[in-house]
Amino acid sequence: MATTTPEHDRRIAEMKFSSVYPHYVTKVEKKGRTKDELHEVIRWLTGFTDDEIAGHIERESTFEQLFADARLHPNAERITGVICGYRIEDIETPLTKQTRWLDKLVDELARGRKMEKILRAE
């Protein structure tokens, strides 16, 4: 699929981070990674502290609200590949792209990729 639809983008925007977060935790822990590592990835992408992450979960922020508050890492554009059937670099809607960046980082963490590669250090 080349790009997303307006309906898909709206669904992503309205989805609550707090409803997806437990799935992220389960996914990485099932594969032997930790919640601390998950938070490291979220902090890297969003610029949030652990308290800010917890606040978004408690307030049941949507992904639109979450990324409106984020201070995106300058290397986030280096996150490429396919996630959920979409090639990230082809996604035109910024919020959908940002959400898929997060999904991709969580996926890489769960697959056992080294943290320095996940965080686009090189």
Side-chain angles (χ1 to χ4, degrees):
M1 187 172 284
T3 189
T4 59
T5 64
E7 295 80 20
H8 177 265
D9 295 337
R10 191 172 3 346
R11 245 186 0 262
I12 294 286
E14 294 171 357
M15 190 177 303
K16 292 186 182 197
F17 175 66
S18 62
S19 70
V20 177
Y21 175 79
H23 298 287
Y24 288 158
V25 173
T26 300
K27 182 175 191 170
V28 301
E29 287 181 342
K30 268 185 167 178
K31 299 292 185 165
R33 301 305 284 261
T34 66
K35 185 176 171 181
D36 287 340
E37 289 174 307
L38 172 63
H39 276 233
E40 183 176 353
V41 166
I42 296 170
R43 287 191 309 263
W44 178 86
L45 178 62
T46 64
F48 292 149
T49 64
D50 285 332
D51 287 342
E52 289 172 313
I53 294 168
H56 278 285
I57 292 167
E58 289 169 21
R59 287 189 304 278
E60 296 187 352
S61 297
T62 63
F63 276 100
E64 184 171 36
Q65 294 163 330
L66 180 87
F67 282 106
D69 290 345
R71 301 167 301 278
L72 293 173
H73 194 282
N75 289 345
E77 289 286 341
R78 292 184 180 178
I79 304 168
T80 60
V82 176
I83 190 79
C84 300
Y86 296 96
R87 179 153 291 286
I88 294 172
E89 48 273 38
D90 292 342
I91 297 173
E92 296 173 2
T93 306
L95 176 62
T96 301
K97 181 178 275 194
Q98 293 161 2
T99 304
R100 294 305 181 198
W101 283 341
L102 179 56
D103 291 341
K104 183 70 172 177
L105 295 177
V106 172
D107 197 49
E108 290 176 353
L109 182 64
R111 284 188 290 133
R113 194 166 195 209
K114 292 182 179 182
M115 191 60 80
E116 55 270 10
K117 290 196 179 277
I118 295 170
L119 303 183
R120 300 341 194 231
E122 71 277 343

